[in-house]
Every structure is written in structure tokens, then in C-alpha cells.
């Protein structure tokens, strides 16, 4: 197992930056009204933004970190739970490791398939 050494606060900073980018994209596409900030959104609108931001961030990680056994699920779970105190949304405290696993499992499956094929080594 590879242990990723990052504090929850650092991971939270990365997630919030990605969430702001995702919010701007959704505002540009008129999914979320312009002028709203992350702090003003209800949980129902925040959760898809959080999930998309996690997905995007995990896809930016090195292949070895995502495809092998790591503590990534624990980091994601702790980071989303920490959002509850930043965004004052108690619902984030109930975010589970199963939810985190469901989010990144498609990425893991995709990368493991390509590792087996060794397609990425030609790049």
C-alpha cells in the first residue's frame, strides 16, 4: 500500500479551488444562477459540484496512486467531512467511505484496464 501524505486542510484547499472552477463552469452553462458563491448554495446543489470536483482532482493524480492500493478513500472522506465546517452544511458529516469509493471506482477501473494493456507506456 502506498500512503499519500497530505493533510486534510491541504486537500480541502485543493477541493475548494476545484469546486470554485466547477461552479464557474456550471454558471457559464446556466446550470447554477450567476452571482452565487459556493457558500450560498444548498446541499442539493453542492453535492454534485463536490463529486465532480473530486472526480476531476483524482483524474489529475499519477496513475500509480490511483490504480494501486492507497489511503485515497480516507483522504477524500475526511476532506468532504471537513467541508461541513467550512460550508456550514451538516450533511457533509455523513459522507462515507463507500460514497468516496463509488466516486473513484470508475477511474480505478479505467486506469487498471490501460495498465494491463500497457497503452500509456508509449506516451
Amino acid at each position: 500500500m502506498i500512503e499519500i501524505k497530505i493533510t486534510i486542510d491541504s486537500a480541502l484547499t485543493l477541493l475548494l479551488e476545484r469546486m470554485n472552477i466547477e461552479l464557474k463552469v456550471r454558471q457559464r452553462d446556466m446550470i447554477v444562477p450567476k452571482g452565487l458563491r459556493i457558500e450560498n448554495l444548498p446541499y442539493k446543489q453542492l453535492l454534485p459540484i463536490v463529486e465532480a470536483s473530486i472526480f476531476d482532482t483524482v483524474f489529475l493524480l499519477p496513475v500509480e496512486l490511483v490504480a494501486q492500493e492507497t489511503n485515497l478513500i480516507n483522504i477524500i472522506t475526511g476532506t468532504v467531512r471537513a467541508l461541513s465546517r467550512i460550508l456550514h452544511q451538516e450533511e457533509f458529516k455523513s459522507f462515507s467511505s463507500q460514497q468516496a469509493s463509488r466516486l473513484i471506482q470508475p477511474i480505478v477501473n479505467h486506469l487498471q484496464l490501460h495498465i494491463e494493456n500497457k497503452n500509456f507506456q508509449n506516451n
Side-chain angles (χ1 to χ4, degrees):
M1 180 171 143
I2 298 173
E3 185 177 351
I4 301 171
K5 301 243 182 197
I6 185 171
T7 64
I8 295 298
D9 287 336
S10 297
L12 186 58
T13 300
L14 291 171
L15 181 59
L16 287 169
E17 286 177 18
R18 189 69 204 165
M19 285 173 63
N20 282 316
I21 293 168
E22 185 66 28
L23 176 63
K24 287 177 186 173
V25 168
R26 289 172 188 244
Q27 287 175 332
R28 183 194 68 213
D29 295 342
M30 294 185 222
I31 297 170
V32 175
K34 291 186 179 190
L36 288 179
R37 296 174 38 150
I38 290 288
E39 300 84 16
N40 301 335
L41 294 175
Y43 178 76
K44 277 188 165 187
Q45 285 184 316
L46 273 174
L47 187 59
I49 291 173
V50 170
E51 290 175 343
S53 299
I54 291 169
F55 190 86
D56 291 347
T57 304
V58 169
F59 236 119
L60 294 172
L61 293 173
V63 172
E64 295 82 17
L65 287 182
V66 179
Q68 294 181 12
E69 187 179 342
T70 64
N71 59 336
L72 187 57
I73 299 293
N74 295 334
I75 293 169
I76 292 170
T77 304
T79 303
V80 174
R81 287 179 180 171
L83 278 175
S84 67
R85 68 179 158 84
I86 301 295
L87 299 177
H88 309 291
Q89 300 279 344
E90 294 297 314
E91 294 92 339
F92 285 121
K93 285 184 180 178
S94 65
F95 191 83
S96 69
S97 58
Q98 288 81 14
Q99 286 175 284
S101 181
R102 263 195 318 267
L103 275 176
I104 69 165
Q105 196 58 48
I107 300 170
V108 172
N109 294 342
H110 177 76
L111 292 177
Q112 285 177 339
L113 175 68
H114 287 290
I115 287 173
E116 290 172 9
N117 293 337
K118 300 186 187 247
N119 289 340
F120 73 95
Q121 289 181 343
N122 296 331
N123 291 336

